[in-house]
Amino acid sequence: MFSKKLFVALGMLVAMLAQPVHGQDYNVDPGMWEMTYKMDVSGMPENMASMMKKEPTTKQECVTKEDISFKPEDMEEGCTFNKTSDSPSKVVWEIECETAQGSSSGHGEVNFHGTTSDGWFEMKVQAGPMGEMQMRNTFDGKRVGDC
């Protein structure tokens, strides 16, 4: 079975990138943010895909400038992360992973609009116990108040 740890790591990556990443003055206002995530999976056995296809998930989180930082050591071992474009209003990235469970690659972007944010992330698993599959995550958020 494909590593659940890799799916968790990808989810964490999406969550981190849906917020400002320290080191650049992104167009994001700190405060209480409400984020909505949706993941679609294709190319895997139907019983596994049905467990992963869920309605959008929404959560609230207090975001401060000090809270947000992306460190390469936070990545899953065997994964490399590369920002291909980085501006106050948009971050575009690529990721490559080679783990014991298989290889995968992906890309995505997040857009910052001050009090809102949106983006997407796609991951293709080229090899693994379940064969090839693809995931597409979309997310959007809005500042809903102070912390």
Side-chain angles (χ1 to χ4, degrees), residues 3 7 16 42 54 63 76 89-90 112 119 125 127 138 143:
S3 170
F7 287 117
M16 284 189 300
S42 62
K54 296 181 180 178
V63 176
E76 171 88 8
S89 62
K90 180 187 262 187
F112 305 115
V125 178
T138 56
R143 187 179 187 281

Side-chain angles (χ1 to χ4, degrees), residues 58-70:
T58 301
K59 70 174 192 168
Q60 287 191 353
E61 183 176 350
C62 180
V63 176
T64 68
K65 288 222 181 245
E66 295 78 33
D67 289 335
I68 308 305
S69 65
F70 173 76

Side-chain angles (χ1 to χ4, degrees), residues 70-138:
F70 173 76
K71 301 179 290 290
E73 58 268 21
D74 291 337
M75 288 297 301
E76 171 88 8
E77 188 174 329
C79 294
T80 58
F81 176 83
N82 180 42
K83 288 183 191 177
T84 58
S85 177
D86 191 8
S87 74
S89 62
K90 180 187 262 187
V91 176
V92 180
W93 70 91
E94 295 177 347
I95 184 171
E96 297 279 335
C97 296
E98 290 290 336
T99 68
Q101 293 80 28
S103 63
S104 55
S105 61
H107 61 280
E109 73 178 47
V110 60
N111 301 287
F112 305 115
H113 312 286
T115 58
T116 64
S117 175
D118 61 80
W120 57 270
F121 176 71
E122 293 178 343
M123 194 75 174
K124 181 177 181 180
V125 178
Q126 290 91 3
M130 293 189 298
E132 188 174 295
M133 66 178 175
Q134 296 182 12
M135 296 185 301
R136 179 167 173 85
N137 296 281
T138 56

